[in-house]
Amino acid sequence: MAAVYKVACRLGSGNVKCIFPRQSFYTHRKLYTSDSSVPPGGQGETEPQQPSAEKPKSGFAVAYELHTDLQQKQESTSSSRVGSTRDETSFASLLRHSPLVQMGPAKDKVVVGKIFHIVQDDLYVDFGGKFHCVCKRPSADGDKYQRGTRVRIRLDDLEMTSRFLGANTDTTLLEADGFLLGLVDTKAKA
Amino acid sequence: MSSMASGILTKVISGLRCPRFTAAALSCSGQAYSTAALPKAVVTPNDITVDSDKLLNVPLSQPDFFRVSELFSLKDLFDARVHLGHKKGCRHRLMEPYLFGSRLEVDVIDLEQTVEHLQLALNFTAHVAFRGGLILFVSRRRQFGHLVERTARECGEYAHTRYWQGGLLTNATIQYGPGVRLPDLVVFLSTLNNVFQPHTAIRDAAKMNIPTVGVVDTNCNPSLITYPVPANDDTPAAMELYCRLFKMTINRAKDKRKQLELLRGLGPAASK
């Protein structure tokens, strides 16, 4: 609970952090464009009314205004430069929508993994977590488990760690723990 | 043991670029990396001084001269699972500033910080490679030993992924004879020896005034490393990404050096 709250706080603060750069970006834009005759943002809409009163703008000036308006619209919708609350490329957003986080606790979750290494009867399966999982080759359909085969795993733990007596930190086995359910097969699923 | 040592010896001696007596003088004085003598000698010793100084200062004109920030993005790091850390119980206290948080006992590394640190590290590596520095890749993870050695071979640098003898850096003149050139940068692709101990080379490089770049995971101690990069060092995808990035920066820096040398080479020849 405490951990989720902490993450939620960080996510919240991350979102707040993302809003500020946008404001600073627009002020910078203002500084940049104050030298030229084109004002940024919302004033661009009132701009066309003014030159008709003062002086009609000729070819290049009109084209420049059009270009900056288009660029601003493009930048307000593009998510690459400015961080926004719905920005897919901000780390907090990527993390929140990642399958590993959406999965929740790893206990008893069924995932699909790929075998990337085989040592006789041991299958090393990578399911997208930090560590791989090592499972014994099952007796049924044993020959079908080769490198690159996709298999279903029921996870127990993402990383096998334990604190032993007298130790400062946990001892980690650098492996995940899971039970091999079988091959990923369209016939088996149906 | 002796065959390993002789293998390392041939590697180090074959990397000798400056005359033996200068290297001996430098290693005796305790400074491992050459700052005075140019390792890659431009044609004649007469026109070295002014031209070489100008050449060496060219990349210092801009903050990101080698454009290392274009080599990767936050999304690339995320897809390579660089943000995944160990469990909360394995956490090293000094890694706490680099963490985004912890979710369901699993630490998550803040990739925004990782991006900055990785840019600094790659930039530094590029500058060292540009100046003809000797780079040593170190990793004691047996799973990635072959990958690290292949990376080093492909960028023309050195790697040490076997047992680290105690006096490799600190006792080099006696173990390998006088006039051995020590690395100018040590890149750690994993800072741990096994899950309990940090790698001896971190301490030794700090003793010998050799800068280090290291990928520090949540259970590592980042204190003695000059350019730590808080990142995951257990997943093959992440390790392949780092190896690729280091290889690309080093090759880019070396190509840039050759290019600038050619340009300068044409300059004085044309004026004559």
Side-chain angles (χ1 to χ4, degrees):
Chain A
M1 277 295 282
V4 173
Y5 178 68
K6 198 171 163 189
V7 172
C9 277
R10 289 299 296 270
L11 284 173
S13 66
N15 290 337
V16 169
K17 257 189 270 180
C18 287
I19 292 172
F20 288 138
R22 181 193 248 165
Q23 290 180 346
S24 62
F25 172 76
Y26 277 135
T27 49
H28 284 159
R29 192 159 170 77
K30 213 182 239 180
L31 289 170
Y32 173 70
T33 54
S34 62
D35 295 333
S36 66
S37 59
V38 183
Q43 292 183 30
E45 292 160 33
T46 59
E47 225 279 325
Q49 297 171 10
Q50 289 171 359
S52 59
E54 295 169 21
K55 192 168 80 177
K57 296 227 169 176
S58 59
F60 176 74
V62 171
Y64 188 82
E65 282 166 46
L66 190 65
H67 179 69
T68 45
D69 285 344
L70 284 173
Q71 213 174 26
Q72 277 171 17
K73 276 184 206 164
Q74 194 191 23
E75 278 160 4
S76 65
T77 52
S78 78
S79 54
S80 55
R81 276 198 220 173
V82 183
S84 69
T85 50
R86 282 190 299 117
D87 190 358
E88 296 95 25
T89 59
S90 93
F91 173 56
S93 182
L94 281 173
L95 183 69
R96 179 198 265 167
H97 297 293
S98 71
L100 209 62
V101 164
Q102 293 288 317
M103 179 177 80
K107 185 90 183 139
D108 294 334
K109 292 281 187 325
V110 177
V111 293
V112 170
K114 199 163 89 163
I115 301 177
F116 70 95
H117 193 245
I118 299 184
V119 176
Q120 287 161 16
D121 268 349
D122 294 322
L123 311 170
Y124 290 69
V125 182
D126 174 28
F127 55 87
K130 183 171 161 90
F131 297 103
H132 55 266
C133 172
V134 185
C135 306
K136 277 268 178 248
R137 192 192 291 264
S139 42
D141 285 337
D143 291 334
K144 288 198 182 166
Y145 296 93
Q146 300 301 330
R147 259 184 226 196
T149 318
R150 294 182 50 168
V151 291
R152 272 178 28 246
I153 303 269
R154 188 179 64 224
L155 285 181
D156 241 338
D157 204 355
L158 284 175
E159 180 183 353
M160 287 194 277
T161 58
S162 185
R163 176 77 57 108
F164 288 97
L165 281 177
N168 288 328
T169 54
D170 281 7
T171 307
T172 166
L173 278 179
L174 302 177
E175 264 179 31
D177 192 17
F179 179 75
L180 185 63
L181 294 173
L183 293 164
V184 168
D185 213 19
T186 46
K187 297 176 208 167
K189 274 184 190 172
Chain B
M1 265 312 198
S2 59
S3 61
M4 256 199 287
S6 62
I8 296 163
L9 173 67
T10 47
K11 263 192 203 166
V12 174
I13 294 230
S14 64
L16 266 183
R17 293 192 192 106
C18 48
R20 284 172 73 95
F21 70 93
T22 351
L26 287 168
S27 57
C28 286
S29 68
Q31 284 178 353
Y33 49 100
S34 55
T35 45
L38 245 200
K40 238 183 218 153
V42 191
V43 187
T44 51
N46 295 323
D47 50 41
I48 275 183
T49 44
V50 178
D51 268 347
S52 65
D53 280 346
K54 281 190 194 161
L55 182 64
L56 288 181
N57 288 336
V58 168
L60 299 175
S61 55
Q62 292 154 44
D64 195 7
F65 182 77
F66 300 101
R67 297 198 310 264
V68 292
S69 44
E70 292 171 12
L71 289 177
F72 66 97
S73 68
L74 197 142
K75 188 84 172 61
D76 294 336
L77 295 184
F78 190 85
D79 291 334
R81 310 175 224 165
V82 164
H83 60 291
L84 298 176
H86 286 267
K87 285 268 168 99
K88 197 172 80 171
C90 299
R91 190 196 302 172
H92 195 282
R93 208 175 142 213
L94 294 169
M95 286 300 290
E96 279 167 17
Y98 301 120
L99 296 182
F100 184 71
S102 166
R103 181 184 153 92
L104 296 166
E105 303 273 305
V106 176
D107 286 337
V108 176
I109 297 170
D110 191 355
L111 277 192
E112 317 243 329
Q113 289 188 50
T114 303
V115 163
E116 293 164 7
H117 282 91
L118 189 56
Q119 277 175 6
L120 287 172
L122 289 175
N123 188 33
F124 184 72
T125 316
H127 277 91
V128 169
F130 180 86
R131 287 163 173 259
L134 210 148
I135 299 175
L136 183 69
F137 288 91
V138 172
S139 168
R140 196 56 176 118
R141 287 294 299 261
R142 286 136 173 107
Q143 191 179 2
F144 309 118
H146 178 71
L147 174 69
V148 171
E149 288 181 347
R150 201 178 64 213
T151 310
R153 186 159 25 103
E154 284 168 6
C155 57
E157 296 295 342
Y158 305 84
H160 186 104
T161 54
R162 310 298 160 106
Y163 174 73
W164 182 273
Q165 273 185 320
L168 257 182
L169 291 178
T170 44
N171 206 16
T173 44
I174 297 173
Q175 283 191 346
Y176 298 112
V180 173
R181 185 175 165 187
L182 292 179
D184 300 308
L185 173 66
V186 181
V187 178
F188 288 94
L189 287 153
S190 167
T191 47
L192 294 178
N193 220 353
N194 45 53
V195 271
F196 304 107
Q197 289 173 339
H199 203 290
T200 330
I202 300 176
R203 198 196 61 199
D204 286 352
K207 278 186 189 174
M208 303 299 293
N209 282 341
I210 302 173
T212 45
V213 163
V215 172
V216 278
D217 205 348
T218 51
N219 57 350
C220 306
N221 183 1
S223 356
L224 282 178
I225 299 168
T226 335
Y227 290 91
V229 179
N232 179 15
D233 64 0
D234 295 305
T235 314
M239 290 299 281
E240 279 168 20
L241 177 76
Y242 308 138
C243 287
R244 206 183 70 227
L245 286 176
F246 277 110
K247 188 175 68 179
M248 278 161 68
T249 30
I250 293 170
N251 284 333
R252 206 182 251 207
K254 288 185 176 174
D255 291 340
K256 198 81 188 177
R257 175 63 183 255
K258 273 189 212 146
Q259 191 189 45
L260 283 177
E261 271 181 357
L262 279 174
L263 287 172
R264 299 295 159 117
L266 285 172
S271 65
K272 283 172 190 169

